Amino acid sequence: MVPQAAPMRRIARYRPAIDAAIARVLDGGTAIGGVEVAAFEAAFAAFCGVGHAIGCGNGTDALVLALRAAGIGPGDEVITVALTAHGTAQAIRLVGAMPVFVEVDAATRTMDPAAAAAAITPRTTALIPVHLYGQMADMPALATLAAQHGLFLLEDCAQAHGAEIAGRRAGSWGHAAVFSFYPTKNLGAVGDGGAVITQDAALAERIRALTSYGWTDARRISDVVAGNSRLDTMQAAILAALLPHLDEAIAERRAVAAALHAGIGEAVILPRWDDGAVWHQFVIAHPARDRLAACLARDGIGTAVHYTPPLHVQPAFLSDGQPPLPITERLAAEVLSLPIQPEIAGPAIQAIIDAVRRGAAECAR
Ligand SMILES: Cc1ncc(COP(=O)(O)O)c(C=O)c1O
């Protein structure tokens, strides 16, 4: 069986560097914060091309922290997409604001800038595009839109560590950007982890305070009500050990994606080719998606669906009175994620291609 994802295989591959990082933490006498966290934050900010990174507990917390630090809360509308992980929209509700879901572009599967523009009201205060599956949203257009309307632009980069558009990396376009280090992500911890990045020093300071009870300085004075969401020292050390290998891993993902793209050909709807994508997922589409998935399972190829049902029809958001989103709903019914992780898909490329072509032929009958 070729699994759709197996993060522990990446851990096994880099095990000596990870073991050394863990040993350093165990020998170092610091379990929370300390030099390991500071070193990872600095290295990750540099990787993204921004000035500040603040580690936190997970990607959803990162969204909440960034929104709170920007002053987004009750009465505010935040425009985002419904074809994304739950955390994107749950975070908007968690700060008391209202998510407004807009259509994605059918080809890029990311926020359609025209749909976002049409959804702006006097209550809109922020825009959260999602770089879904490792492909960046149209940031040149969305950054212009945000600037025209004075909106806080928050990039959801949970699936896009290192992705690029117009020569700039994911996370360097918005006022702030968030990352998840969930184990299956392109940069994944051995547990939960997340980060907010920004170029804005004052915003970074507010975010950091919100990660630790609102403390603004060493005297432990709280100016605001805040909880606790920190990147563990152990996870920071592990992520710092993996970060130097991320560019190599991205190159490998691109090579696997290119081989799948060329080999699968016209048999199914392929993801749009994008030189700047980092292929967190390789997502095909087919009108008979569930039958195709069953054929692939029979032939030993694991798949997953990201994401159905889409968020605007999830029970938690149904009462928000969201209009239908036909493109999003069609994609949610048709998308299928193939194995793409280099440690899994690399040796199995031909088997994946053959199974998809065979399955698509069967579904056409
Ligand atoms: C696009 C997107 N946004 C947000 C999140 C939330 O991240 P986490 O699971 O670390 O809370 C995820 C990960 O599941 C994601 O893929």
Side-chain angles (χ1 to χ4, degrees), residues 54-125:
I54 303 101
C56 64
N58 54 63
T60 307
D61 281 0
L63 284 154
V64 168
L65 291 163
L67 289 170
R68 278 203 70 195
I72 312 290
D76 292 325
E77 290 177 359
V78 178
I79 294 173
T80 192
V81 291
L83 191 69
T84 179
H86 287 236
T88 310
Q90 296 284 13
I92 298 169
R93 276 295 206 82
L94 282 169
V95 302
M98 192 56 87
V100 174
F101 297 108
V102 298
E103 273 293 26
V104 293
D105 176 274
T108 65
R109 299 145 169 188
T110 58
M111 182 180 281
D112 176 350
I120 293 172
T121 74
R123 283 194 295 276
T124 309
T125 50

Side-chain angles (χ1 to χ4, degrees), residues 57-61 63 84-85 87-88 130 132 156 158-159 179-182 185 192-193 280 307:
N58 54 63
T60 307
D61 281 0
L63 284 154
T84 179
T88 310
V130 179
L132 195 71
D156 185 337
Q159 304 188 5
F179 290 83
S180 166
F181 303 123
Y182 185 82
K185 301 304 190 206
D192 277 310
H280 172 59
Y307 295 91

Side-chain angles (χ1 to χ4, degrees), residues 242-257:
L242 292 172
L243 184 59
H245 303 285
L246 184 53
D247 281 322
E248 164 195 39
I250 290 170
E252 289 174 356
R253 277 180 191 260
R254 286 180 173 150
V256 174

